[in-house]
């Protein structure tokens, strides 16, 4: 198999699964835009689309590691107890409203460590990815570039993403995007200096957690989920 992106054969197989599924999601997105007068109908459509995502990707991933377990917000399988694929559609409510800011989050864990992480935005076909101890990257238009967290620490300059919690920052310095997986990827890429959220399903943050760590930042989750560039600190 020809490698599409810098990294291991497993990483590239996982990316191939994402791109195949992404093509179907782009078609689905066009249908959702025609359902905006009925949110109930749009939500039902997106729920079925999310199920198709899981079925499509998981069929491909069984070819990568057939005995691996599976964890999604809606489904789990124990597998061999060693490897586990972690999958989620992040920003589903954006998808429902015809907002293109949503992503597929996919990770491979071995034991207690996340080894491979991918966050893929199917509408603009941008991928953020990382492998343990090998750095974090962004890929678009057949080009990969290494990403790093920002160096900004001054509160008057920081840009913070939020999800499910109130912002205490001035409006120009805070953003609520509705897609936690991409928010974490943006911290990794230096687009955000930090991210604060209510606690989230692990399937939604698993890939983003490795992305941030490999880009030089940190993620912690207790009362809140906090991602940081290690310069800005949550007070």
């Amino acid at each position: 198999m020809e490698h599409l992106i810098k990294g291991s054969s497993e990483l590239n197989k996982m990316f191939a699964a994402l791109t195949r599924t992404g093509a179907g999601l782009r078609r689905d997105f066009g249908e959702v835009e025609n359902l905006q007068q009925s949110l109930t109908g749009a939500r039902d459509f997106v729920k079925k689309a999310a199920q198709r995502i899981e079925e499509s990707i998981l069929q491909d991933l069984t070819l990568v590691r057939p005995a691996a377990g599976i964890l999604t917000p809606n489904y789990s399988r124990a597998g061999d107890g060693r490897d586990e694929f972690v999958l989620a559609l992040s920003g589903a409510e954006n998808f429902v409203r015809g907002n293109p800011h949503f992503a597929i989050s996919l990770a491979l864990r071995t034991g207690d460590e996340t080894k491979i992480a991918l966050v893929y935005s199917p509408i603009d076909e941008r991928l953020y990815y990382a492998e343990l101890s090998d750095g974090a990257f962004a890929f678009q238009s057949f080009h990969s570039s290494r990403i790093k967290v920002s160096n900004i620490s001054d509160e008057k300059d920081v840009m913070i993403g939020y999800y499910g919690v109130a912002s205490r920052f001035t409006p120009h310095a805070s953003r609520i995007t509705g897609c936690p997986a991409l928010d974490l990827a943006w911290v990794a890429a230096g687009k955000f200096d930090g991210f604060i959220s209510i606690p989230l399903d692990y399937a939604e943050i698993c890939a983003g957690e490795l992305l941030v760590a490999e880009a030089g930042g940190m993620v912690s989750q207790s009362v809140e989920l906090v991602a940081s560039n290690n310069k800005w600190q949550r007070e």
Side-chain angles (χ1 to χ4, degrees), residues 87-98:
L87 170 69
L89 174 63
S90 185
E93 280 300 308
N94 287 342
F95 194 169
V96 166
R97 298 302 299 267

Side-chain angles (χ1 to χ4, degrees), residues 31-42 96-97:
E31 294 294 324
V32 166
E33 289 186 304
N34 296 326
L35 294 171
Q36 290 310 296
Q37 292 185 357
S38 169
L39 281 181
T40 299
V96 166
R97 298 302 299 267

